[in-house]
Amino acid sequence: MSNNLLKGTFPVIPTPFTENGDVDLNSFESVIDYIIACGVDGVVFPGLASEYAYLSHQERLEMTQFLGTRLNGNTPFIVGASAATPQEAIEYCVSGAKAGANCAMVMAPNIYAKDKNAMVNFYKEIARKAGIPIMLQNAPAPMGAGLPIVELVDILRQVPEIEYVKEETQPCGQRIEEIITNAPSTLKGVFGGAGGRYIIDELKRNALGTVPACELTEMHTELVNTFSKGDYAKALNIYCDMMPILNMQAVYRCSLTKHILFYRGIIACPQVRDPGPRLDEKNRHELVELYQKLSAYMPPLTLNGKG
């Protein structure tokens, strides 16, 4: 379907909100500009780090169109199309394609986890209606289907329009290697996710790249580019330096990502809709301390970090 290979660093764009919880399009544009200025290979929206489960149907459609217009075909764009129902997922794929997306990332629905034929039919219908390549996001249960490798590869054989996989079921690196070894030639490759916490192992096992959150985009981009040039020692150093914050991000997720963007003046407010854990004062203090240790790669904070 597509001759252009997607590879490298594809951060997920978050959804900024005002203090009242409304979508903040000005901050959305600002974070888009920040990510692109880091020299990324492409962007993803919406993903889990975009809080897509807490966006309305209309918000998703409007923001996807806004992003497509802002990018204007100059930066590869993967539209996140995972949804509560197969019908919604198809609609988000189609709207993303109309907005200029190069690919649609769709989570394998857990409602089909025990019905491979239904999964195949789901992806076939999406591919037929969207008309762009598909990235199968294999997230672990209960969020996703957590497909076994044998079933995933069989789906790839039956749906050649699935050109990419984003593998997030543990152990990610081993599974990425196994998928690549057994997949049909129609699969162009596999991306890692999981916040970039396993990126070194994934790259060593021939992952095409990573789809992380965007709080350390400068470092993710530098790491992937450095690794691709064969400088493994430097890539490993970058990885070790960023891990303390990525460990915090594994717990506080969108709250942490948005606090870094807020402290840097990229977004106007660190508000989240996701009901998960939020940074408290002690967490925020620790985050600032950890961030300041990354001065070799990251610009200084513009706010005092007291939140």
Side-chain angles (χ1 to χ4, degrees):
M1 293 178 66
S2 170
N3 294 322
N4 297 320
L5 179 66
L6 302 177
K7 64 181 298 185
T9 307
F10 279 70
V12 178
I13 304 172
T15 306
F17 302 113
T18 66
E19 290 184 0
N20 293 329
D22 298 325
V23 170
D24 180 354
L25 282 179
N26 289 331
S27 289
F28 186 54
E29 184 173 19
S30 177
V31 76
I32 293 168
D33 292 345
Y34 150 64
I35 291 172
I36 293 173
C38 291
V40 298
D41 300 286
V43 297
V44 175
F45 182 83
L48 291 170
S50 314
E51 301 174 79
Y52 77 77
Y54 307 99
L55 297 176
S56 71
H57 179 79
Q58 193 61 31
E59 285 172 339
R60 283 184 68 164
L61 295 178
E62 290 177 355
M63 295 182 75
T64 297
Q65 183 58 57
F66 183 96
L67 174 61
T69 301
R70 185 72 185 82
L71 296 177
N72 194 31
N74 294 317
T75 301
F77 163 30
I78 299 174
V79 63
S82 301
T85 68
Q87 293 74 25
E88 287 179 296
I90 291 169
E91 182 178 1
Y92 293 139
C93 282
V94 172
S95 67
K98 290 180 179 177
N102 306 81
C103 180
M105 182 177 73
V106 189
M107 192 179 299
N110 55 9
I111 61 170
Y112 295 150
K114 304 299 181 182
D115 190 342
K116 187 175 63 178
N117 290 333
M119 189 84 71
V120 167
N121 291 334
F122 166 72
Y123 278 109
K124 282 184 175 180
E125 186 175 7
I126 281 179
R128 179 175 59 83
K129 292 186 175 179
I132 55 177
I134 304 300
M135 176 183 287
L136 187 159
Q137 181 180 5
N138 191 34
M143 188 175 300
L147 292 169
I149 299 294
V150 172
E151 290 188 17
L152 193 156
V153 169
D154 192 31
I155 292 169
L156 297 178
R157 292 195 179 103
Q158 295 187 61
V159 190
E161 295 87 354
I162 301 175
E163 297 186 4
Y164 303 93
V165 170
K166 181 187 178 188
E167 181 55 62
E168 298 184 285
T169 300
Q170 299 293 347
C172 300
Q174 292 181 20
R175 290 173 62 89
I176 286 173
E177 189 171 46
E178 190 173 353
I179 293 168
I180 293 171
T181 299
N182 294 284
S185 60
T186 49
L187 183 74
K188 291 185 174 180
V190 185
F191 280 81
R197 285 179 288 279
Y198 314 104
I199 186 172
I200 288 289
D201 184 39
E202 293 164 350
L203 292 175
K204 288 174 67 177
R205 296 174 190 266
N206 296 315
L208 286 177
T210 184
V211 182
C214 76
E215 67 279 336
L216 300 177
T217 296
E218 289 92 339
M219 295 185 73
H220 276 116
T221 305
E222 179 70 12
L223 189 158
V224 172
N225 291 345
T226 298
F227 187 95
S228 68
K229 294 175 183 176
D231 192 345
Y232 173 75
K234 182 179 178 181
L236 183 61
N237 285 337
I238 298 171
Y239 175 71
C240 291
D241 286 344
M242 69 198 300
M243 274 309 299
I245 284 183
L246 295 186
N247 282 335
M248 283 191 74
Q249 201 272 344
V251 177
Y252 298 102
R253 297 192 177 272
C254 299
S255 180
L256 182 143
T257 298
K258 288 185 174 180
H259 270 85
I260 290 181
L261 297 176
F262 172 62
Y263 292 155
R264 290 186 57 184
I266 295 170
I267 63 175
C269 177
Q271 179 75 292
V272 295
R273 289 182 183 174
D274 189 318
R278 312 281 177 94
L279 297 174
D280 64 14
E281 184 178 354
K282 292 180 180 179
N283 295 137
R284 293 193 292 270
H285 179 74
E286 180 185 6
L287 176 61
V288 170
E289 287 186 323
L290 293 175
Y291 183 93
Q292 289 171 342
K293 292 183 177 296
L294 304 179
S295 59
Y297 307 99
M298 303 295 293
L301 302 177
T302 57
L303 300 180
N304 61 19
K306 293 182 179 179

